[in-house]
Amino acid sequence: MENEERLFISVLGGAGQEFGLAIYIGNEGLNSLRLAMEQKTPLQDIVFQQRSILMSFVDRDELESEDYMFLKAHGIPFRGKKQWPEFRSMVPGSYPWSIDEEEARYIIMAIEQTLSVLGMVERGTEIPAFGLDNQILIRAAKKTAQGHVWETEMMPKETFFQEKTLPLEIPQIVPDLVVKQASKHPIMDSQIEFDLFYVDMPIQPSAGARPYFPYMAVALDHKTGMVLNQELFENRNAFENAQFGLNELVNRISMLPKELWLREEMFQMLKAILTKLKVKAKKVENLPEAERFKEFLSQIH
């Protein structure tokens, strides 16, 4: 591919319910696939951060009107159950949407190479089981004097999987004066869970534009589960939202938490201002009250 973006393709249909191709784009897409297979992360959280394209074969009555008009405009006839193609673009923080031209090229390439691999399987090639075997079968375009030639290789799974990483140092975004004013509040004797996440309340900035999911910062008392503050952000910068969200919490309750419970990722986002606020941070893997709050939100939306 010209931009050297890797596509990771999953053929759907083994369970007899969904049919099509899921095309995960780049390391971002592959990491979301890994999270789904580990089954430790809530499905909705995975959807919020997924980079992929979904080509599904559905019944006629399952198509959105835009999908049907697209097929009709191109004069492509389909009949029968699970025969009508539907395409969806998945971008982190964005609402599932129609595909663009680049994503259409990805789909064409994915179909071509999937058919090539199908031919190999019919001739006896065994495909490593994703998630169980340590290798992944890949198709790579090699540039030759005659043009690009597709070749098949087996590569170690570890070559591709990468943990999501943050910048080495996330800068302070909240102005010094604002942080200084917040640091003057007295300390409250409590442990507070603080988190930032997408919420299923899509915002469409203008007619025809792709909607996006806003961020919410929430702070809860770890012992009682009481919500101390919640703030919705239309800004799509997670670092900025995290820092302003913590500052808003302090100003709203007019106190500083004795101990702030944070996931590792959130700790890195807030590290630049935690010392100046003189707040003790405790890094944890789970925020039980925050998770209960997120579950509550998912039930009412």
Side-chain angles (χ1 to χ4, degrees):
M1 299 177 62
E2 292 182 0
N3 61 4
E4 298 185 350
E5 190 77 276
R6 293 188 176 114
L7 304 182
F8 300 89
I9 302 170
S10 175
V11 179
L12 308 177
Q17 297 178 346
E18 300 289 335
F19 300 90
L21 292 180
I23 304 163
Y24 297 89
I25 303 173
N27 290 324
E28 196 170 36
L30 184 61
N31 281 328
S32 64
L33 175 59
R34 173 180 59 81
L35 291 175
M37 298 199 68
E38 289 175 349
Q39 297 184 342
K40 296 179 182 178
T41 304
L43 179 59
Q44 188 63 49
D45 288 353
I46 297 173
V47 171
F48 283 144
Q49 57 184 293
Q50 185 167 284
R51 179 65 184 112
S52 66
I53 309 165
L54 181 62
M55 181 182 74
S56 304
F57 291 98
V58 301
D59 295 340
R60 165 66 183 86
D61 58 4
E62 295 179 278
L63 287 175
E64 299 286 343
S65 59
E66 292 83 359
D67 299 309
Y68 177 72
M69 294 306 296
F70 172 82
L71 297 177
K72 186 176 180 180
H74 288 79
I76 309 174
F78 295 95
R79 290 182 180 277
K81 289 185 173 294
K82 304 298 182 184
Q83 296 294 318
W84 298 76
E86 180 183 69
F87 307 98
R88 286 294 178 270
S89 165
M90 311 290 287
V91 174
S94 296
Y95 193 79
W97 205 242
S98 55
I99 60 173
D100 59 25
E101 290 186 10
E102 182 180 35
E103 291 170 327
R105 288 194 292 271
Y106 286 169
I107 291 174
I108 293 171
M109 185 179 300
I111 292 173
E112 291 173 345
Q113 297 312 309
T114 299
L115 291 174
S116 295
V117 173
L118 173 60
M120 294 165 52
V121 171
E122 291 175 337
R123 293 190 294 272
T125 300
E126 293 189 6
I127 306 297
F130 188 86
L132 298 177
D133 294 330
N134 292 322
Q135 289 189 315
I136 295 178
L137 182 145
I138 69 167
R139 295 276 293 166
K142 305 293 184 180
K143 191 172 184 179
T144 68
Q146 291 74 37
H148 286 86
V149 177
W150 287 89
E151 297 179 355
T152 304
E153 302 177 35
M154 293 287 185
M155 296 190 68
K157 185 169 59 177
E158 291 72 21
T159 303
F160 303 101
F161 281 109
Q162 298 179 4
E163 293 292 338
K164 183 178 180 181
T165 57
L166 295 169
L168 294 178
E169 287 293 334
I170 297 174
Q172 177 182 325
I173 301 172
V174 179
D176 273 327
L177 179 60
V178 175
V179 176
K180 186 176 181 180
Q181 290 173 339
S183 68
K184 296 178 181 180
H185 291 296
I187 296 176
M188 64 185 300
D189 188 16
S190 63
Q191 298 168 319
I192 294 179
E193 297 181 17
F194 183 81
D195 203 6
L196 180 77
F197 49 85
Y198 290 116
V199 289
D200 192 6
M201 299 170 56
I203 296 172
Q204 189 170 35
S206 60
R210 183 174 191 158
Y212 65 90
F213 298 107
Y215 276 109
M216 175 177 282
V218 64
L220 307 97
D221 187 292
H222 174 66
K223 291 183 178 179
T224 67
M226 179 183 294
V227 177
L228 301 174
N229 191 53
Q230 62 186 68
E231 195 78 18
L232 203 62
F233 295 96
E234 294 187 11
N235 184 348
R236 307 189 73 179
N237 186 316
F239 307 155
E240 183 174 330
N241 294 339
Q243 293 186 20
F244 275 100
L246 178 58
N247 184 76
E248 180 62 26
L249 162 69
V250 172
N251 290 330
R252 181 67 58 85
I253 63 177
S254 299
M255 299 188 80
L256 289 163
K258 182 177 181 180
E259 187 174 74
L260 198 63
W261 285 33
L262 306 167
R263 302 181 202 272
E264 173 65 33
E265 184 176 5
M266 181 57 57
F267 173 77
Q268 296 300 331
M269 293 184 190
L270 297 176
K271 187 177 178 181
I273 64 173
L274 287 173
T275 302
K276 294 181 178 180
L277 287 174
K278 300 177 182 178
V279 171
K280 178 184 177 183
K282 179 179 180 179
K283 290 187 281 186
V284 297
E285 291 187 6
N286 298 301
L287 298 170
E289 297 305 325
E291 288 302 323
R292 274 190 274 272
F293 180 75
K294 289 167 66 176
E295 178 64 25
F296 168 74
L297 289 179
S298 69
Q299 292 174 359
I300 64 176
H301 289 294

